[in-house]
Amino acid sequence: MKFTVLTLFPEIPRAFFESSIMAKAVEKGIIAYDLVNIRNFALDKHHTCDDGTYGGGAGQLLLPEPLGCALDSVKAYKKHVIYVTPSGKPLTQKKAQELSQKDEIVLICGRYEGIDQRIIDTYVDEEISIGDYVMSSGELAATVIVDTVYRLVDNVISHESLDEESFTGCLLEYPQYTRPNVYKGMEVPQVLLSGNHEEIRKWRLRKSLQKTLRNRPDLIVQGRLNGTLTQEAEKMIEELTESTCQKNVGKKKKRK
């Protein structure tokens, strides 16, 4: 799989591609990348790549000519082009899995007020947002998308690691522990040291449900709608909900 990133600041994503698991994936030939400096396609000696917006308003917009030339140079019309923008569709694990099946992805990193709409209309296949907030750096947002996608490509990370991650199903991941057994007076749950794989599985499921109910109850609703919650999980949810209600009642009595 290949990622091509169009940017005014190639040094920002370069550090990511040259580090950690990504660097190993590149070395093995599983992942390839190209960082294209939009400024190299500017039409004047000052390498101007932005200007004010028609209709007035604060901020600058990336000029369409340099960006269009940069896209043409990488034959973007043959590839899947993503514009990273707060006004795009939300990035989800499902979307990341879908994108991981692409052979080549081109990412456009916006700056300032964004890019000319005519570039979007001509080149862009989809607009993606990494969250409901605004960043000054399209490079950071593009790197988030790359990181979310490339790790799902075959042979980058083991399937066992991916299968139990948050959002792989409809649940958040359970708590994890490593050595030492006791840290600052806190012990690793005994069930994880028992060697009883069935009990460990149940414990992890229960903890995943507990964390999801607390942090992302919307995922439980989603799991029920798409039928991914098992009868065992539903029973645990009932027990956890009942236990939480009893605790809340106990707290109210203490306050009185």
Side-chain angles (χ1 to χ4, degrees):
M1 183 179 197
K2 182 176 181 179
F3 295 97
T4 299
V5 183
L6 275 61
T7 168
L8 292 174
F9 301 93
E11 62 274 14
I12 297 176
R14 179 176 289 115
F16 172 75
F17 281 103
E18 295 178 354
S19 303
S20 191
I21 299 173
M22 172 58 90
K24 293 177 182 177
V26 171
E27 184 180 350
K28 292 177 181 178
I30 302 171
I31 301 295
Y33 72 95
D34 188 15
L35 305 177
V36 179
N37 192 332
I38 301 168
R39 210 173 289 282
N40 292 339
F41 297 87
L43 304 180
D44 66 348
K45 64 179 181 181
H46 301 293
H47 301 290
T48 304
C49 285
D50 61 283
D51 204 346
T53 58
Y54 282 122
Q60 301 287 97
L61 203 66
L62 289 187
L63 293 166
E65 292 98 333
L67 184 49
C69 289
L71 286 160
D72 289 339
S73 75
V74 299
K75 296 181 171 58
Y77 57 89
K78 293 183 177 180
K79 302 166 186 177
H80 191 76
V81 180
I82 297 171
Y83 171 42
V84 187
T85 169
S87 60
K89 293 181 179 178
L91 177 65
T92 63
Q93 191 68 13
K94 182 179 179 181
K95 171 54 68 174
Q97 290 167 343
E98 177 187 318
L99 292 174
S100 71
Q101 301 305 308
K102 304 287 185 184
D103 292 326
E104 294 191 46
I105 292 177
V106 176
L107 296 111
I108 302 173
C109 301
R111 277 274 169 171
Y112 318 120
E113 290 300 304
I115 67 177
D116 192 291
Q117 182 63 39
R118 290 167 292 186
I119 290 291
I120 298 173
D121 295 340
T122 304
Y123 294 94
V124 173
D125 293 299
E126 61 180 325
E127 300 173 69
I128 293 181
S129 167
I130 64 168
D132 293 341
Y133 47 86
V134 178
M135 303 174 68
S136 61
S137 172
E139 289 75 20
L140 293 178
T143 302
V144 168
I145 293 175
V146 172
D147 188 46
T148 307
V149 172
Y150 95 97
R151 58 196 307 283
L152 300 175
V153 175
D154 287 343
N155 300 317
V156 172
I157 295 177
S158 69
H159 287 292
E160 290 81 3
S161 295
L162 296 174
D163 287 344
E164 296 187 356
E165 288 185 324
S166 295
F167 305 112
T168 299
C170 63
L171 302 178
L172 301 180
E173 192 173 11
Y174 47 80
Q176 301 271 27
Y177 298 85
T178 187
R179 295 180 295 174
N181 289 357
V182 180
Y183 172 70
K184 292 188 175 181
M186 297 177 287
E187 296 184 7
V188 173
Q190 286 301 307
V191 64
L192 299 179
L193 308 176
S194 68
N196 188 323
H197 297 296
E198 177 60 14
E199 289 303 311
I200 292 172
R201 182 195 67 79
K202 290 179 179 178
W203 181 88
R204 285 175 169 171
L205 175 58
R206 189 179 187 88
K207 289 296 181 180
S208 288
L209 290 165
Q210 190 175 45
K211 188 172 186 178
T212 307
L213 284 167
R214 182 177 66 248
N215 294 348
R216 291 291 303 276
D218 58 298
L219 294 177
I220 298 293
V221 175
Q222 181 181 320
R224 284 170 171 161
L225 289 174
N226 61 30
T228 56
L229 283 178
T230 63
Q231 288 185 345
E232 180 185 29
E234 289 286 10
K235 184 178 179 181
M236 286 186 182
I237 290 172
E238 186 178 338
E239 292 170 355
L240 288 166
T241 304
E242 184 178 339
S243 175
T244 301
C245 289
Q246 289 175 350
K247 286 181 181 179
N248 290 337
V249 170
K251 288 180 181 178
K252 288 181 180 180
K253 286 182 178 179
K254 286 182 179 179
R255 288 172 187 170
K256 290 178 180 180

